[in-house]
Amino acid sequence: MLVRELLKEFHRYAEEDAFEAAFPEPALLLEPFGEHKGGSVDTPSQPLATRHSPARPVESSTEVMGALEAARHMARMSEAVHPDARLAWLKKSERNPFGALITAGRARNNDVVIEHTTVSKLHVIFTKVGAGWNVSDEGSSNGTFLNGMKLTPREKRPISDGDSLRLGPDIVARFFEPASLWQFCALLRMGKK
């Protein structure tokens, strides 16, 4: 689904509860292949450090920001979204026989199919863990980067709201839980008025 299509229908989901009922799964916001805009969608090349633990990589980009800074960051992100960006919902399909795993890659039997030559047939796997999610690179040819840091193949890492995910050199995505996607779309819609 293109983001602009969702925004046209967003009036149906004026309330967050209605949106979450219609779209209960998290989503990847995928920038158009090979032409992502610069600006605040890009992530740092080095891990960020918190005031409390300077040596520990940050698991979520919003972890180091206060609420106001996070809102400003989301507003800058909304300005950087390409009109042809699309949403890929992280939900099971009939194509994938692996029960608890959401797969993404180039092959047609993945739950999320990303047709691009730099994406491996099976590139990443998402797994639900309690109230959160993990992501793992499945030995892809071109690597996977979470908030700018390359993932070790087959090592599960937590992924949080607003985190950046890059598949190989060309595919740039942002991970959203339903509540934050609703807020993000509301910001986009306000910016378009």
Side-chain angles (χ1 to χ4, degrees):
M1 166 182 273
L2 292 176
V3 172
R4 66 174 175 231
E5 292 171 359
L6 179 60
L7 292 177
K8 285 179 187 175
E9 300 296 319
F10 195 70
H11 66 277
R12 295 181 183 184
Y13 314 110
E15 299 298 322
E16 187 175 338
D17 291 342
F19 183 87
E20 289 185 40
F23 305 105
E25 297 89 8
L28 291 177
L29 184 136
L30 295 158
E31 290 292 323
F33 307 151
E35 56 175 284
H36 53 278
K37 292 168 74 173
S40 55
V41 171
D42 290 338
T43 56
S45 58
Q46 296 297 315
L48 300 172
T50 65
R51 287 177 275 164
H52 308 292
S53 177
R56 181 182 69 80
V58 171
E59 299 297 339
S60 169
S61 59
T62 57
E63 185 177 312
V64 296
M65 293 183 243
L68 183 57
E69 289 179 42
R72 287 182 184 145
H73 179 70
M74 291 291 272
R76 286 190 306 273
M77 281 176 39
S78 70
E79 294 168 3
V81 173
H82 192 282
D84 292 330
R86 70 180 179 101
L87 291 166
W89 307 103
L90 297 183
K91 63 181 180 180
K92 289 301 300 168
S93 70
E94 295 177 6
R95 299 181 302 265
N96 174 358
F98 305 109
L101 309 174
I102 308 277
T103 62
R106 196 178 70 240
R108 290 251 174 237
N109 64 332
N110 286 296
D111 297 304
V112 177
V113 177
I114 304 171
E115 295 178 5
H116 194 276
T117 57
T118 64
V119 173
S120 293
K121 289 180 183 178
L122 173 58
H123 202 103
V124 295
I125 291 180
F126 296 90
T127 51
K128 180 90 171 127
V129 180
W133 286 84
N134 283 339
V135 63
S136 61
D137 178 277
E138 292 303 302
S140 66
S141 299
N142 292 308
T144 303
F145 300 81
L146 179 61
N147 294 326
M149 298 303 298
K150 187 172 184 175
L151 297 179
T152 302
R154 293 176 183 76
E155 179 183 316
K156 293 180 182 178
R157 295 289 310 269
I159 187 167
S160 302
D161 263 338
D163 280 354
S164 172
L165 192 66
R166 185 165 53 87
L167 308 179
D170 296 325
I171 306 304
V172 178
R174 184 112 6 223
F175 179 84
F176 284 102
E177 291 282 1
S180 64
L181 181 59
W182 180 85
Q183 293 170 353
F184 186 70
C185 288
L187 281 172
L188 285 176
R189 191 161 160 81
M190 285 189 316
K192 303 286 184 215
K193 289 184 179 183

